[in-house]
Structure formats: C-alpha cells, structure tokens
Amino acid sequence: MEFIDLKAQYQAGRENINARIQAVLDHGQYIMGPEVEELEARLAAFTGARHCITVSSGTEALLISLMALGIEPGDEVITTPFSFIATAEAIVLLGATPVFVDIDPATCNIDPTLIEENISGRTRAIMPVSLYGQPADMEAINAIARRHGLCVIEDAAQSFGATYGGKRSCNLSAIGCTSFFPSKPLGCYGDGGAIFTSDAQLATAMREIRIHGQSQRYVHTRIGVGGRMDTLQCAIVLAKLDQFDWELKQRARAAASYDALLSGKVGLVARPRDRSSVFAQYTVVVDERDRVRAALHEAGIPSAVHYPVPMHLQPAYARWSEPDSAPVAQAMAARVLSLPMGPYLDDTSIGRVCATLLRAAGANAPACRRD
C-alpha cells in the first residue's frame, strides 16, 4: 500500500501528461514558455483571484509574497507553530520575527481568538496555514487584520481546491500561496508553487521579484530572486488539472469512508460546515502513537506524522518563543497521525487501514467535535 499513490495517478493520466511534456520538448521554451501563462490563467480562473503568479516552490511563494509587502528586519508576522517549517522560514529569511500563536485543538489550525493579543506595533501581516487540506477560520482572521491594518497571507500549500464560505482557498485573503510539490493534492513532478492576489500592484511586484526584480530585461527595479516555475512543471500541472475535479471528489469519497469507520472511535480533525477539505492528509488523533504506528507498519500500512515537533520548539526557531507558549500545538504534535490518502485509494484498503488502526488504538479515544 502506498501512502500517496502517485504511480496510479500517472497511469490514469499518462497520455495527457506525456503529450504535455512532449509539447514542451518540441518547442524548447523551458523557461517562461507558453504553458506558464496558460497555467496562470487557468489557476486564476479556478480560484476566482484576478492574478496568479507561478513560482519555483511553495516556500518561494511565501518569500516573494512577504517581499512584495516590504517585510523587513524588525517587522513581525503572526503565524501558527503547527505546520511545515517553510512557513516560519520565509519570515526569518527576511530578518522579520515569527510570532507563533497556538492552534485550535479541534481543527489544528491557528486559533483566531488568540491572534489579537499577540499583535504589536511591529506586526505587519498574519500568515495562517490551511492545514491538512482545509482553510483556517479566514473570516475571523480577515476581520482582525482589517481592524489593525494588516495583510493576510494564506499559506494554502495543502489546501488548493478547498473552499471556505463558498470561495476557493487561495482567494480568501489579500494573498494566497500554494505548493505543487508532488504529494500535494495538485502536484507536479518536482518543485513548483503559485501566488494568488486580486491586487494589481502586488501582482506586478511579485512578477518582478520572481525574475530577479526585473521590470524589463536587464532593468532591475526591485530586489528579487530566481523564483520562476519551469515550463515542464507547468505543463504537468496543466495535464493534472484536467482530472483534478474528479480527484477532489474521490478524495472526499475516501474521507467519507474513513469517517464512517472511525467516527466516534478515534479522534478526528474537525471539519466545520462552512468549509471543505481536499484532504491533503487524513489525520487522526491517538494516544501511544508510536505503538499504533508500529502496528500499522507491521501490517504493511504506511503512515506519517504532520508534524512531530512544533516550529517554536525547533532548535533554529526557539529564540523567538518560550517553550510553553503553544501548549495545544505541543500536545497535538504528540498525538496526530496521518493515514494513507488519495483519489486512488479504494474502500477495501481503507477498511484494512481502519481495522488495523482500531485494534492498535483500542478504539477508545474521544472523537473531536465536527463543528
């Protein structure tokens, strides 16, 4: 059993994927070829944002977004401690300070009720992460940002295709960033990412920053980076977009099968009714996680932990936070466990996973609330 079956996905779309790759090989425009503009137009239309800027990775998307806002040393950016390190990394690389705000134990996303007390005169932005495939409480976060004149950047590396209040993730705030890392719900075959905004000035800045700050060839009006997404990777995402809606439905089907077998028996990450998830991960909450993982492994079932050490406890980031400043994130980091997930995961396999998990977990952990 695969944790994420990328081979099955390729086999399902190989004809279209191969044709898209061959088209790039034929025209030979490997950097900023026509597929780049085509993908940006399709992704913008999908999300409803006015502008899409493809970039070389999800991390670069965050970095370029912060650069476009003019984030600099001495500034503070509020974010969650419970995510992949890239979220805080982009902040620190610009000399700014990450301010870690604890999470909601039900959803594992940043707790908006704790944000306002962490805003200072140096705060410039709020960067919530849409963890495990579902958006954070963006309405509450945006309202706080408006009151304090701050920008919100949604780190949607795991949630492209999800919705909140009927709108698509990546178009829920001033800026949205996503990743096309191969294991993401919409992935390429290398690194890639995209930034979304409906602000024309920000879009111009981001386009210039991703090409070394160029406003035109050899005219550098900004400090920039080499942040372009290459044409081949754009072509692969274009091919996968053709089957993406079907894959989202299949991910929802797989999650519903998990829910039916596990709800009320182990802890589940809550999914409020005002949003949807693309299930980048299907995550449960268990005690004695190492023992449960060992039982799954013994049965040939892969699993993963997203994430075992919160960012505020990482050695390189500990200077910006007290060890006990995010107790909920620390507690969840010891209990979360991600199970095999994807559009090609069949119900028989899901039943096997759940039966093994429930035997190992004792089936007595309380389920998290649903809304």
Side-chain angles (χ1 to χ4, degrees):
M1 186 183 299
E2 302 281 346
F3 185 70
I4 300 172
D5 197 344
L6 296 177
K7 294 190 288 283
Q9 184 190 52
Y10 170 68
Q11 291 301 324
R14 64 182 298 167
E15 184 175 343
N16 195 11
I17 292 169
N18 289 349
R20 280 286 190 173
I21 292 172
Q22 188 61 53
V24 177
L25 297 176
D26 289 341
H27 67 57
Q29 298 177 56
Y30 300 114
I31 301 297
M32 301 304 290
E35 286 80 2
V36 176
E37 185 175 350
E38 180 185 357
L39 179 61
E40 290 177 347
R42 286 187 62 180
L43 293 175
F46 182 86
T47 62
R50 291 177 185 168
H51 306 280
C52 170
I53 302 92
T54 54
V55 293
S56 56
S57 70
T59 307
E60 208 74 4
L62 297 173
L63 181 65
I64 291 171
S65 296
L66 292 168
M67 292 174 72
L69 291 175
I71 301 298
E72 59 187 10
D75 291 339
E76 294 178 353
V77 179
I78 289 174
T79 192
T80 171
F82 198 55
S83 178
F84 183 60
I85 203 67
T87 310
E89 185 176 56
I91 298 166
V92 172
L93 283 171
L94 295 177
T97 299
V99 177
F100 298 114
V101 170
D102 210 355
I103 62 171
D104 177 346
T107 65
C108 292
N109 279 321
I110 192 170
D111 186 340
T113 67
L114 303 177
I115 290 176
E116 207 147 15
E117 66 192 60
N118 285 278
I119 294 174
S120 76
R122 296 185 297 275
T123 306
R124 292 286 309 281
I126 306 171
M127 189 186 291
V129 175
S130 295
L131 196 71
Y132 299 148
Q134 75 169 337
D137 190 349
M138 297 300 291
E139 182 179 357
I141 295 168
N142 286 332
I144 293 167
R146 284 192 296 270
R147 285 198 295 272
H148 294 272
L150 305 174
C151 183
V152 176
I153 303 170
E154 182 197 10
D155 182 344
Q158 299 178 19
S159 62
F160 187 81
T163 61
Y164 176 98
K167 295 182 67 175
R168 293 281 190 187
S169 179
C170 294
N171 186 31
L172 302 175
S173 54
I175 301 171
C177 299
T178 199
S179 168
F180 301 127
F181 188 78
S183 62
K184 302 301 183 186
L186 180 63
C188 55
Y189 290 155
D191 269 319
I195 311 169
F196 299 83
T197 185
S198 291
D199 185 307
Q201 288 185 319
L202 282 176
T204 296
M206 292 164 180
R207 292 187 189 280
E208 293 178 1
I209 290 168
R210 76 167 170 185
I211 311 181
H212 303 285
Q214 290 187 133
S215 58
Q216 55 184 296
R217 191 165 177 81
Y218 300 132
V219 177
H220 302 267
T221 53
R222 308 173 189 271
I223 303 299
V225 297
R228 297 163 296 199
M229 184 172 172
D230 71 67
T231 310
L232 275 169
Q233 299 302 338
C234 287
I236 291 162
V237 176
L238 279 166
K240 288 191 176 186
L241 261 177
D242 292 338
Q243 61 196 53
F244 188 54
D245 283 337
W246 178 86
E247 289 192 355
L248 290 181
K249 292 175 184 176
Q250 293 305 307
R251 284 179 173 273
R253 183 265 314 159
S257 295
Y258 270 128
D259 287 349
L261 294 171
L262 297 178
S263 184
K265 299 174 183 177
V266 298
L268 302 178
V269 173
R271 300 192 295 274
R273 293 190 178 93
D274 61 354
R275 66 204 75 171
S276 70
S277 178
V278 292
F279 302 101
Q281 293 87 25
Y282 188 93
T283 301
V284 298
V285 183
V286 296
D287 294 322
E288 299 183 68
R289 183 180 61 205
D290 289 347
R291 182 179 59 78
V292 174
R293 286 197 78 189
L296 291 170
H297 178 75
E298 182 69 21
I301 297 170
S303 63
V305 177
H306 302 96
Y307 296 90
V309 181
M311 288 188 281
H312 72 296
L313 297 180
Q314 294 286 351
Y317 294 80
R319 74 187 78 171
W320 289 290
S321 187
E322 295 298 322
D324 59 353
S325 61
V328 178
Q330 190 168 349
M332 296 306 287
R335 300 182 67 211
V336 292
L337 179 64
S338 296
L339 305 177
M341 187 50 171
Y344 302 93
L345 185 66
D346 59 66
D347 285 348
T348 299
S349 297
I350 291 171
R352 181 178 156 221
V353 173
C354 292
T356 305
L357 172 70
L358 291 175
R359 281 196 301 269
N364 56 9
C368 295
R369 61 182 173 84
R370 279 291 175 197
D371 52 42

